[in-house]
Amino acid sequence: MGEPSGAGRIEHVDVVVIGAGQAGLSAGHHLQRTDLDFVVLDAEDAPGGAWQHRWESLRMGTVNGIFGLPGFPTPPLDDAEPSRSAVPRYFADFEDDRKLPIRRPVRVSRVEEAAEGRLRVHADAGVWVTRAVINATGTWNNPVLPQYPGTESFAGRQMHTRDYVSAEEHAGHRVAVVGGGISAVQLLTEISRHATTFWYTRREPVFREEGFRPEVEGRETIERVTAAAEAGLPTQSIVSYTGLVWSAEAREAAARGALDRRPMFTGIEPHGVREADGTLTTVDTILWATGFRPSLEHLAPLNLTNEQGGIAVRGTEVRADPRIHLIGFGPSQSTVGANRAGRAAVGALKRRLAGSPQSLHRV
């Protein structure tokens, strides 16, 4: 929707939303119901956010579920359909219905101070001068890739979760899967049916014997994540708060021995990994299912990060700079949380900007 501006063009708006995933679309919907002039800048070539990059075998029946976009209920979805096609189609329908001012592909490189208390958003398609920024860039473009002794010497293939396509590409291989989260378990379950797998984690994985109750554990988790975000602590994975749940697929994989966890290896060698006990395990591939961190590099010029390495927020508002709102961040990483965060950010900015000079208009 919409072509990006020319690289030399400068536009003036009240609010710039960066990212058009669930959180960004929610923010756009609520901004559309105000008199604020805004634009949504999305780095992707098409609607769908990070969903369009999920691995092919991740089906709608196995994802954690998606929460409907504001005023736009999710249609009946086929459990067998890949999420990488079903969710982007739903997002595209929402964009078409709402006619949001989305520019893509537009890649934001930095956000910095401008004159008169405004912000300057630099992108490959131009520059936007704005009174506020709602950041909804998610985590997909900032994978965590740990470094171990010998990493560069490995002669096989190293890949991250974001590079994974299907289990069949590993057929007959020996694969080391590193990580203790939900994705690691899902990938082990799949790959171990086609390959010999070895599971490595820093800590012993904790599986919940009872099911996850959103009304109890879900509320407690949100409270803990919110407290950490408001204290400005670096973000952690949700599974570090909730533990892992025994799905039917995970139990089946455990029965086959695919979830026999090993302590982290001490080093990487050309043809394998050196175990904690000193032995060498040969592998063809190391799959780093080690998660993601928020993609916030473009905000670095604003010096929002504290001494602990995190960004303290109050709700969605950055404590160090109330012109910046982070959504799809911390407690709002879930789809339902992203929806609510979009509404909260717009509500806060509407109140804040109401007493400011009149809305700017594009030039």
Side-chain angles (χ1 to χ4, degrees), residues 107-151:
R107 294 168 178 82
V108 173
S109 57
R110 69 184 187 279
V111 180
E112 61 186 17
E113 290 287 347
E116 299 178 347
R118 287 167 170 73
L119 297 162
R120 188 180 296 267
V121 179
H122 293 264
D124 57 1
V127 175
W128 281 263
V129 176
T130 183
R131 301 161 73 193
V133 167
I134 297 178
N135 192 85
T137 47
T139 63
W140 187 256
N141 291 319
N142 193 16
V144 175
L145 289 167
Q147 291 295 310
Y148 277 82
T151 297

Side-chain angles (χ1 to χ4, degrees), residues 111-113 119 298-305 320-321 323-324:
V111 180
E112 61 186 17
E113 290 287 347
L119 297 162
H298 53 287
L299 299 179
L302 300 177
N303 298 313
L304 305 177
T305 304
D321 191 334
R323 297 171 300 177
I324 309 294

